[in-house]
Amino acid sequence: QVQLVESGGALVQPGESLRLSCVVSGISIVDATMGWYRQVPGKQREMVAYITRDGTSYYGKPMKGRVTISRDDAKNMAHLQIDNVTPGDTAVYYCRFDRAVDGTYWGQGTQVTVSS
């Protein structure tokens, strides 16, 4: 059974930093694209960042310049570093696994709340 479990979400103050982690079990992330998305109630889920199997990263406009995505294939994990958070970053953040032969899998999400 494939599982993606996110962690690291928290209540933080504007300007602080946060590191989200996603651990994958039941399948290897080698050769997969790993991504982070976020969603607020009533809005569509949007892409924050994704990283391809060769380590090339892509960033969505909303958080570009403040986030860094990374992967650790040996530990079957992906991470998202968020710097200088703003209240607009409040959302549930989801981890996503994509590999053509295996399909797409999502985690259950981790809540990030930015408030002073």
Side-chain angles (χ1 to χ4, degrees):
Q1 182 182 2
V2 177
Q3 281 192 314
L4 282 69
V5 179
E6 302 93 336
S7 63
L11 171 62
V12 293
Q13 295 189 347
E16 293 185 338
S17 296
L18 204 63
R19 187 181 192 228
L20 306 182
S21 296
C22 171
V23 59
V24 181
S25 60
I27 198 168
S28 170
I29 72 168
V30 172
D31 293 333
T33 294
M34 298 299 299
W36 286 95
Y37 291 69
R38 68 180 187 179
Q39 189 170 25
V40 297
K43 292 190 177 181
Q44 282 192 323
R45 194 170 295 188
E46 62 179 359
M47 188 271 287
V48 175
Y50 66 89
I51 185 168
T52 63
R53 63 181 186 177
D54 65 356
T56 302
S57 54
Y58 298 87
Y59 297 96
K61 287 183 180 180
M63 302 183 76
K64 192 173 185 178
R66 297 190 295 114
V67 294
T68 304
I69 189 171
S70 61
R71 61 189 296 156
D72 186 338
D73 288 2
K75 294 184 179 179
N76 234 34
M77 296 182 71
H79 304 281
L80 184 72
Q81 175 73 30
I82 308 174
D83 296 318
N84 192 23
V85 297
T86 72
D89 296 328
T90 296
V92 178
Y93 286 74
Y94 296 90
C95 180
R96 172 174 163 164
F97 168 104
D98 281 285
R99 188 162 59 207
V101 295
D102 300 298
T104 298
Y105 296 93
W106 291 92
Q108 83 291 345
T110 186
Q111 176 71 48
V112 172
T113 303
V114 183
S115 176
S116 55

